[in-house]
Amino acid sequence: MFERIDYYAGDPILGLMEKYSADSNPNKVNLGIGIYYDENGVLPVLDCVKTAEERIADPIAPRPYLPMAGLPGHRKGCQELLFGKDAQILKDGLVATIATIGGSGALKVGAEFIHDWFPQAKCYVSDPTWGNHIAIFEGSDVEVGKYPYYDKANSSIKFDEMIAFFETLNKNDVILLHPCCHNPTGMDLTQAQWDTVLNVVKARELIPFMDIAYQGFGEDMDSDAYAIRKAVEMGLPLFVSNSFSKNLSLYGERVGGLSVVCPTVDETDRVFGQLNATVRRIYSSPPSHGGRVVDIVMNDETLHEQWVGEVYAMRDRIKAMRLKLKSVLEAKIPNRNFDYITRQNGMFSFTGLTPEQVERLQIEFGIYMVSNSRMCVAGLNTSNIDYVANAMADVLKD
Ligand SMILES: Cc1[nH+]cc(COP(=O)(O)O)c(/C=N/[C@@H](CC(=O)O)C(=O)O)c1O
């Protein structure tokens, strides 16, 4: 019956977790999946989340279905985080926002919407990008192309090539953009470069789809949303998928959002309705527990302030690990340039190691990175960073 079904080769990122868990090496280090671990190598529960959880637990309430769009407070939290608390478009009711099953669910609903209502559109992703971007859009029968983005040889962005490529695209083509903390390269555009990109988007009437999964891990909550708010200022139509997995450390609660900025209230209503219809036919409604945590943390002023501080502490620890790794590697291999480690932003560093070197790190040292050479810097801490740097130096020297 099912003998013709293909075997699943596994996911290049999630599959690493299983390998890592099964590895008996006492020195093993997980630099694979984009998860924030604290200085003790533990996945933290944020204090603001603990408070929210206590409020949810006492008194414990029934668990009815949520609306297809999720809790209003979850949706409001997404909107104010992305566009700014006092954004005019929020006052004018020009943003259709739904709570989703993580950022992945937001991308899926967005891809389905594009497929249904912009059937001629192709979606272009950065080269390289988070692998699941391609799988999600192709899974919704949206043709996916790649735009030039990362220059491996110079650890830089192929900016002119990228702009020239965007200028060849057709009206309503979608370009999937990382507003901050690019996955997997960590290389972000400057604000001036974003202005140039958005001017081309406007001129070519492209559809910008911005996927922000690490807001707060780059510079700060507002700076990390620069591209989003600039697009709004320019009056562009805009899709934004956001994830609370990382910055609320709520990975398994599957909390995120999808927002669509529209020109008129009537169009916002139409889009909001179809987003609901799309949710209904895929997963019907989002999970309630995570939604309630998001609602409480995002809308309680004291907890929101505490949350921002906790995200910045995670951000700063990652930045400290970048500085330390760079200095240790520079000391060990003085003739090699490691500036890229501190020029990159957010959780990831694109180390430029070859697949063979990545494999050696895994087999000989129990150090797990993604095969494309992406390292999750948040997996480093003062206890393992010298071990990792020494191992990297070993494989780089040979
Ligand atoms: C850019 C980006 N967008 C969306 C997501 C999905 O987020 P979620 O809210 O968990 O559905 C991830 C997850 N990235 C990490 C984990 C994964 O691959 O699923 C990663 O890149 O390791 C991203 O890196």
Side-chain angles (χ1 to χ4, degrees):
M1 171 70 179
F2 300 115
E3 62 281 353
R4 60 182 177 74
I5 306 303
D6 292 337
Y7 287 104
Y8 178 44
D11 179 88
I13 295 173
L14 302 182
L16 276 181
M17 282 298 278
E18 290 148 30
K19 273 189 178 176
Y20 172 79
S21 305
D23 191 329
S24 59
N25 184 331
N27 299 314
K28 65 183 180 180
V29 183
N30 182 8
L31 306 178
I33 190 166
I35 284 180
Y36 177 86
Y37 295 103
D38 67 15
E39 171 55 23
N40 302 313
V42 173
L43 195 157
V45 177
L46 303 187
D47 290 336
C48 61
V49 169
K50 282 178 193 152
T51 305
E53 295 275 9
E54 286 157 8
R55 290 188 196 170
I56 291 169
D58 183 21
I60 196 149
R63 300 296 156 96
Y65 284 129
L66 266 52
M68 294 175 277
L71 292 174
H74 179 153
R75 295 164 47 218
K76 174 174 174 286
C78 291
Q79 291 184 335
E80 293 180 354
L81 180 63
L82 297 173
F83 304 105
K85 203 170 173 57
D86 301 318
Q88 192 57 43
I89 51 168
L90 299 182
K91 293 172 184 163
D92 296 344
L94 298 177
V95 185
T97 297
I98 60 169
T100 56
I101 298 181
S104 303
L107 288 157
K108 176 60 180 175
V109 173
E112 288 287 309
F113 183 93
I114 295 286
H115 172 265
D116 294 347
W117 299 99
F118 295 87
Q120 305 310 318
K122 281 184 68 172
C123 175
Y124 293 89
V125 300
S126 59
D127 182 14
T129 193
W130 178 53
N132 219 20
H133 278 156
I134 298 167
I136 289 174
F137 274 82
E138 287 184 340
S140 292
D141 291 330
V142 176
E143 194 180 334
V144 176
K146 290 184 179 179
Y147 59 83
Y149 188 76
Y150 188 67
D151 179 346
K152 253 190 174 176
N154 302 302
S155 303
S156 62
I157 293 172
K158 296 176 178 173
F159 186 72
D160 294 342
E161 279 180 69
M162 178 176 75
I163 293 298
F165 183 83
F166 287 163
E167 285 168 349
T168 68
L169 301 182
N170 301 315
K171 178 176 178 180
N172 290 344
D173 273 344
V174 174
I175 49 175
L176 191 45
L177 301 159
H178 303 234
C180 72
C181 310
H182 186 271
N183 179 357
T185 70
M187 288 303 290
D188 288 343
L189 299 180
T190 63
Q191 292 188 356
Q193 289 175 326
W194 274 117
D195 294 352
T196 304
V197 166
L198 294 173
N199 282 325
V200 175
V201 166
K202 192 176 184 91
R204 304 294 303 171
E205 296 182 277
L206 306 177
I207 300 176
F209 195 128
M210 297 191 188
D211 179 29
I212 186 164
Y214 304 90
Q215 189 169 359
F217 283 100
E219 294 311 314
D220 58 63
M221 294 298 176
D222 296 324
S223 306
D224 288 357
Y226 174 81
I228 293 167
R229 297 179 189 178
K230 183 68 180 182
V232 169
E233 184 189 304
M234 293 170 64
L236 300 178
L238 174 66
F239 286 69
V240 186
S241 50
N242 73 283
S243 166
F244 289 112
S245 294
K246 291 87 176 168
N247 56 20
L248 265 174
S249 195
L250 281 179
Y251 306 88
E253 294 298 348
R254 313 307 296 128
V255 280
L258 175 65
S259 295
V260 184
V261 178
C262 306
T264 65
V265 171
D266 174 62
E267 289 167 274
T268 307
D269 293 344
R270 292 168 182 268
V271 169
F272 185 66
Q274 290 303 332
L275 293 181
N276 278 268
T278 305
V279 166
R280 176 60 168 162
R281 76 161 192 269
I282 302 176
Y283 56 82
S284 203
S285 60
S288 68
H289 186 78
R292 294 183 66 193
V293 173
V294 169
D295 180 2
I296 293 169
V297 174
M298 291 298 137
N299 295 297
D300 176 305
E301 215 166 299
T302 307
L303 289 183
H304 188 275
E305 195 177 329
Q306 183 183 31
W307 170 64
V308 172
E310 291 189 274
V311 174
Y312 291 169
M314 292 192 280
R315 171 201 66 190
D316 293 345
R317 197 188 78 74
I318 294 173
K319 286 181 184 283
M321 290 298 104
R322 286 183 182 278
L323 281 168
K324 170 86 170 154
L325 180 64
K326 176 171 176 280
S327 63
V328 174
L329 285 171
E330 282 174 339
K332 292 182 182 310
I333 316 178
N335 60 341
R336 190 179 175 107
N337 184 327
F338 293 101
D339 290 349
Y340 69 84
I341 294 175
T342 48
R343 274 194 289 117
Q344 293 165 351
N345 240 350
M347 237 183 225
F348 304 117
S349 178
F350 217 43
T351 62
L353 269 62
T354 64
E356 296 71 29
Q357 290 168 333
V358 170
E359 191 177 24
R360 276 196 59 198
L361 284 178
Q362 192 177 120
I363 293 169
E364 296 175 32
F365 301 92
I367 295 170
Y368 289 76
M369 290 184 190
V370 182
S371 55
N372 63 9
S373 89
R374 186 193 86 175
M375 169 204 289
C376 179
V377 182
L380 294 174
N381 55 56
T382 50
S383 312
N384 66 26
I385 193 161
D386 287 303
Y387 175 70
V388 171
N390 283 321
M392 283 179 71
D394 280 3
V395 299
L396 283 168
K397 275 177 184 163
D398 296 351

